[in-house]
Amino acid sequence: SALREQLETLQKLNVQMTREAENLTRALRGDTKTQGAWGEFILESILEKSGLEKDREYFVQESFTTVEGRLRPDVIVRLPEKKHVIIDSKVSLTAYNNFVNAETDDERTLYLKAHLASLRQHMKLLGDKNYQKNITDSSLDFVIMFIPIEPAYILAIQSEKLLYEEALEKRIVFVSPTLLIPSLQLIKNTWKQEYQTRHVMDIATKAGDLYDKFVGFSEDMITLGRHLDSSKKFYEESMKKLSV
């Protein structure tokens, strides 16, 4: 029952995010800067609804100075044991929108190639930044490239079977909202177990301290009892001296 409820929540969230993405496609047509800001907004919205806490489990737009210059990934998600995973939003709407609105097969073929080329360009730029090595040694050995438009993601992987392998060679995993949402839920559950483990260890530590104090108190009481016996014995012997 709990699993069914969680899956229904994930499904509703995914439908909502996809609908928002499709409704905004026309408004974002051709404006690269606006597209990028919108993709980051969608990414943050999913993070906010994932149950992870901002500035504790994930951090947005943190800047890092490296030997190769200033780097600022969209999101860094913390994992237990001081690990991190980096998520970067890459939006390719122009070519995809042209593909959707194409009227002939030749136009669709042309815009499909442009859509795949746009994704490959994003992959190249992300791979060149090498976030997982240039920012922190504790990052996982890959970066998540987030594509906020579900149909654009599906079109790419169905049209180019080797695209996913090309991304993996660059240590990149690209995901849609459908894949990102359960991934974040998995991270949330990992943190939940981590916090529970920490609480258990904290309780065990406090219980150990309490036991040590109880042992010390018991030893003091035993010592006090011996002193009382000695005092009683000394008292009785002193009273005997007063006896005739």
Side-chain angles (χ1 to χ4, degrees):
S1 176
L3 178 60
R4 185 185 304 110
E5 181 179 355
Q6 189 175 32
L7 290 175
E8 289 175 353
T9 300
L10 293 176
Q11 182 182 18
K12 291 178 182 178
L13 177 58
N14 179 50
V15 171
Q16 176 187 351
M17 301 305 299
T18 301
R19 186 182 299 115
E20 291 175 0
E22 292 175 344
N23 289 339
L24 285 172
T25 299
R26 295 184 181 87
L28 298 171
R29 186 183 309 168
D31 191 336
T32 303
K33 185 176 181 180
T34 305
Q35 289 178 7
W38 172 78
E40 294 169 5
F41 168 76
I42 295 298
L43 176 56
E44 286 194 52
S45 298
I46 293 177
L47 284 162
E48 290 173 357
K49 297 173 183 178
S50 69
L52 298 174
E53 185 174 327
K54 186 177 181 180
D55 296 329
R56 188 179 71 174
E57 282 91 34
Y58 73 92
F59 301 83
V60 178
Q61 298 287 342
E62 275 199 312
S63 295
F64 298 87
T65 301
T66 69
V67 293
E68 299 182 4
R70 197 76 173 169
L71 295 177
R72 188 173 65 178
D74 290 335
V75 173
I76 297 179
V77 181
R78 290 183 60 235
L79 300 171
E81 299 181 0
K82 298 182 179 180
K83 296 293 184 180
H84 303 80
V85 60
I86 294 170
I87 306 175
D88 207 75
S89 175
K90 296 298 181 186
V91 183
S92 299
L93 288 181
T94 304
Y96 171 72
N97 183 70
N98 291 335
F99 172 85
V100 172
N101 293 287
E103 297 181 355
T104 66
D105 290 341
D106 290 341
E107 288 182 342
R108 278 188 284 272
T109 300
L110 178 64
Y111 292 131
L112 175 58
K113 291 181 179 179
H115 177 53
L116 295 174
S118 177
L119 287 176
R120 285 190 169 101
Q121 179 63 16
H122 285 319
M123 287 163 47
K124 182 180 183 304
L125 293 174
L126 195 55
D128 291 342
K129 290 180 179 179
N130 200 10
Y131 283 135
Q132 63 269 43
K133 297 298 181 184
N134 288 328
I135 291 180
T136 171
D137 292 335
S138 61
S139 295
L140 300 184
D141 194 27
F142 62 87
V143 173
I144 294 177
M145 189 175 95
F146 174 63
I147 303 175
I149 300 290
E150 190 82 30
Y153 167 85
I154 294 174
L155 174 65
I157 62 174
Q158 287 182 344
S159 303
E160 181 55 82
K161 304 299 183 183
L162 299 178
L163 189 63
Y164 208 90
E165 294 181 8
E166 292 177 21
L168 289 178
E169 290 177 358
K170 300 179 183 296
R171 315 309 300 169
I172 295 170
V173 176
F174 57 91
V175 300
S176 65
T178 297
L179 295 176
L180 181 61
I181 292 171
S183 299
L184 294 176
Q185 287 293 318
L186 178 61
I187 294 175
K188 174 190 173 183
N189 291 335
T190 301
W191 272 116
K192 182 179 180 180
Q193 294 176 2
E194 175 70 12
Y195 292 141
Q196 289 176 343
T197 301
R198 291 182 184 179
H199 291 159
V200 169
M201 293 178 64
D202 186 48
I203 292 173
T205 299
K206 291 182 178 178
D209 293 340
L210 183 61
Y211 173 77
D212 292 339
K213 290 182 179 180
F214 179 77
V215 170
F217 175 77
S218 299
E219 292 176 349
D220 290 342
M221 291 302 295
I222 292 173
T223 301
L224 178 60
R226 291 172 180 171
H227 288 317
L228 289 175
D229 289 340
S230 177
S231 298
K232 180 182 178 182
K233 183 177 180 181
F234 181 78
Y235 170 79
E236 292 175 347
E237 290 179 353
S238 297
M239 292 302 294
K240 288 178 181 180
K241 294 179 181 180
L242 294 176
S243 301
V244 178

